[in-house]
Amino acid sequence: MYFKRNEPFRYTFGTPVMGQLKNPTNEEVVEMKIWDISQHGMRIEPLGSLDLKSEETVHIFFTLLDTEFSALGTIRWNKSIAGIPQVGIDLDTDSAWRNNLVQTLKQYAKKHI
């Protein structure tokens, strides 16, 4: 299986954006840091104990410039980078959600240069 996100548009945050990750199976909610995001995926750092395996579905929530985003996603990988747990998530979104994300990220980038 090939999961590397080779997308033309991926935004890496200098300071991670905070959000929440919900496991729909047991309703567990964990705070998370979003390190990078694209139209189809994201790399996060969960800030609590999280027992998720690859291919599990999760619900993510975050706010960017007063715009609230919510999406379902699928866990693709879990690994530790420099001792920090990282999780890769494929997002299941529609074109309106993706366009809203891109427009919001453009505004975010202008304000955070």
Side-chain angles (χ1 to χ4, degrees), residues 11 105-113:
Y11 189 85
L105 284 172
K106 286 179 182 178
Q107 293 172 5
Y108 181 89
K110 285 180 186 177
K111 290 186 176 190
H112 291 88
I113 290 180

Side-chain angles (χ1 to χ4, degrees), residues 20-31 46-52 56-61:
Q20 293 181 323
L21 177 73
K22 181 178 178 183
N23 181 345
T25 307
N26 61 10
E27 299 297 314
E28 174 186 23
V29 177
V30 174
E31 294 291 316
L47 297 178
S49 129
L50 186 66
D51 186 28
L52 291 173
E56 278 195 82
T57 299
V58 293
H59 200 164
I60 58 111
F61 306 91

